[in-house]
Amino acid sequence: MESFLYTVLDFINYVHSYILTWNDAYETNFTDKDLHFLVIGCLGMILIFIVQPIFTLLAKTNHVLVISWIYVFTLILLLTFAIEIEQKITKSGVMDFDDIVFGIFGFMLMFFIFAVIRAVILAIIHLITKKRKKRNRHGYN
C-alpha cells in the first residue's frame, strides 16, 4: 500500500512538473491559481464522465454498497491525509506516512469483516425465502 501511494505521489509530481513546462514553453504566464483552476476543473469533469456511467450501472444492478464504499474510502483518504498535515502544521503529533497506511488498512479490514457478516446474513435470508417459496409452490404452509 505504501509503495502504491508513493507511486501515485511520484506520478502527481511528474504531471505537475510537466504542466509547468507547458506554461513556460508557451509563455502563457498562468499563475499557480490559474493552473489549479484549469487543471483541477478539467480533471474533475473527466472524472465525472468516467464515474457517472459506472455509478449508474452499479445503482441499476443493486450494487449501492460499492458506491458507498468508494465514497467513504475517498473520504477516509482525504481525512487521514488532512490529519497528518494538521499534525505537521500544529506540531500536535508526528506526521507519519505509516499512520495514513494503518488508518486506511483499519477501514479496509473493518469493512471486510462487515462485508463477510453481511454476506452470511444475506445468504441465510436467501435460503429461508427460497425454502418458503418452494413450500408455497407445493401447497405447504
Side-chain angles (χ1 to χ4, degrees):
M1 180 72 159
E2 184 174 347
S3 62
F4 171 73
L5 290 175
Y6 274 119
T7 302
V8 170
L9 293 175
D10 287 342
F11 178 73
I12 291 170
N13 190 36
Y14 170 77
V15 170
H16 182 261
S17 298
Y18 190 69
I19 290 171
L20 288 177
T21 61
W22 284 354
N23 195 35
D24 296 338
Y26 296 109
E27 298 179 6
T28 54
N29 298 321
F30 286 124
T31 66
D32 191 49
K33 288 177 182 40
D34 294 337
L35 288 172
H36 277 86
F37 176 85
L38 292 169
V39 171
I40 300 301
C42 290
L43 181 62
M45 290 311 300
I46 290 167
L47 288 172
I48 285 289
F49 293 133
I50 294 169
V51 170
Q52 176 64 24
I54 293 170
F55 280 18
T56 300
L57 177 66
L58 288 170
K60 285 181 181 177
T61 58
N62 201 23
H63 288 92
V64 177
L65 183 59
V66 176
I67 298 170
S68 300
W69 184 88
I70 292 168
Y71 179 75
V72 171
F73 182 77
T74 305
L75 289 178
I76 292 296
L77 276 176
L78 177 70
L79 184 60
T80 54
F81 274 96
I83 289 169
E84 293 305 310
I85 292 168
E86 179 271 335
Q87 287 181 349
K88 173 77 172 177
I89 292 170
T90 64
K91 297 181 181 21
S92 63
V94 178
M95 186 174 174
D96 187 7
F97 192 74
D98 285 343
D99 291 348
I100 295 169
V101 172
F102 275 81
I104 293 168
F105 180 71
F107 166 67
M108 292 178 73
L109 179 62
M110 290 180 197
F111 182 83
F112 177 77
I113 293 167
F114 161 76
V116 168
I117 293 169
R118 180 179 181 266
V120 168
I121 291 170
L122 289 175
I124 291 169
I125 291 170
H126 177 73
L127 288 173
I128 291 170
T129 57
K130 188 177 176 182
K131 283 185 179 182
R132 283 188 182 159
K133 287 180 184 177
K134 191 174 182 180
R135 280 188 205 159
N136 289 341
R137 271 189 268 145
H138 295 294
Y140 302 119
N141 288 330

